[in-house]
Amino acid sequence: MNRLPSRATPSRGFTLTELAVVLVVVALVLGGLLSPLATQMDVRMTAETRKDLADIREALLGFAVINGRFPCPAAATTASGVAGAGLEAAHDAGGNCPNASGVVPWVTLGVPETDAWGQRYTYRVTPAFAQRVSPPRSAAFDLGTAGTLDVRSATVGGTMVAGGLPVVVVSHGANGRGGYNRAGVQLPNGEVVDEIDNQLTNAGTAMANAVFVSRARNPDSGFDDEVGWVPRAILVSRMIGVGKLP
């Protein structure tokens, strides 16, 4: 006797509710994985930028030892690859920099053009320390001239972190606000007053004042700048060490 073929039991698919639950679980798992990854990336990029700032400081000190002055700022609005990009600006007939503010002259110094987030480093120099001079050095190095730049922990009511500085260098952090990119274009203004205090004005040739803000990074507050500088004491010590100062 031949048996009739058994009818296959239809497989039961997922309901919309079950699919929704699965998608929620997957989203939670991915979110839990991506958050630590983003934190790790931020830590790595911050460390890379701080290393750049340390290298820039050494390059500035080396330039000062060789030339007896600091370099003029490079033009912030010149796009990468265009003639003159990354070179220190030419001095005027009186031996002065055309502007005390701009971006780090990365070609002149042989340092990275941008921070880890792709924005150029803002650079401000005390004019007396960047005057073109005959060897061996600017008079400011000899006369004990103090720099005109200060770094505080906040724009309003902040404590002094470092004062009388010849030069200050700023990375505008992960949000890049106030910084210039490789195309020579400035990103939107900073989100908070401390960040605004660190950015360039007047098409990248000036700054609001001579006070910069360096404090613990707090991206949640909108402030994520990294600030470096050359203390005058280190400059003098380096010059003495190579016999350029008595």
Side-chain angles (χ1 to χ4, degrees):
M1 179 176 179
N2 295 330
R3 291 185 179 182
L4 294 174
S6 60
R7 180 177 297 176
T9 303
S11 60
R12 178 177 174 271
F14 290 106
T15 66
L16 291 176
T17 301
E18 290 170 331
L19 286 173
V21 171
V22 171
L23 290 175
V24 169
V25 171
V26 170
L28 289 174
V29 171
L30 289 177
L33 293 174
L34 291 176
S35 182
L37 179 60
T39 300
Q40 291 174 19
M41 287 291 292
D42 184 63
V43 169
R44 182 183 67 78
M45 295 173 86
T46 298
E48 181 181 328
T49 296
R50 289 176 177 172
K51 180 182 181 300
D52 280 355
L53 288 170
D55 290 343
I56 290 170
R57 188 181 80 163
E58 287 302 308
L60 286 168
L61 286 167
F63 185 96
V65 166
I66 295 169
N67 298 281
R69 61 174 179 85
F70 286 114
C72 294
T77 56
T78 303
S80 299
V82 174
L87 297 176
E88 69 162 326
H91 292 80
D92 62 22
N96 299 305
C97 295
N99 303 297
S101 302
V103 295
V104 167
W106 69 90
V107 173
T108 299
L109 294 174
V111 296
E113 176 183 358
T114 65
D115 60 21
W117 297 281
Q119 310 308 323
R120 290 173 174 170
Y121 291 98
T122 290
Y123 172 58
R124 172 76 181 267
V125 61
T126 298
F129 285 85
Q131 288 179 322
R132 185 181 60 216
V133 294
S134 300
R137 58 194 169 270
S138 167
F141 288 31
D142 286 327
L143 301 177
T145 304
T148 58
L149 311 177
D150 295 333
V151 175
R152 293 181 174 273
S153 60
T155 302
V156 179
T159 58
M160 182 73 78
V161 176
L165 301 169
V167 295
V168 172
V169 180
V170 180
S171 158
H172 296 279
N175 66 26
R177 287 183 171 269
Y180 277 78
N181 59 24
R182 294 176 186 269
V185 177
Q186 189 171 27
L187 273 68
N189 287 344
E191 298 175 325
V192 295
V193 64
D194 289 345
E195 201 167 52
I196 293 171
D197 213 45
N198 286 345
Q199 69 190 32
L200 292 163
T201 60
N202 196 31
T205 62
M207 306 195 82
N209 53 58
V211 178
F212 296 81
V213 177
S214 177
R215 60 184 173 87
R217 297 181 75 252
N218 186 1
D220 291 338
S221 74
F223 184 89
D224 60 359
D225 291 3
E226 295 287 338
V227 182
W229 58 86
V230 176
R232 189 177 185 283
I234 291 181
L235 170 63
V236 171
S237 174
R238 192 67 60 87
M239 297 291 283
I240 291 174
V242 297
K244 292 295 183 72
L245 282 175

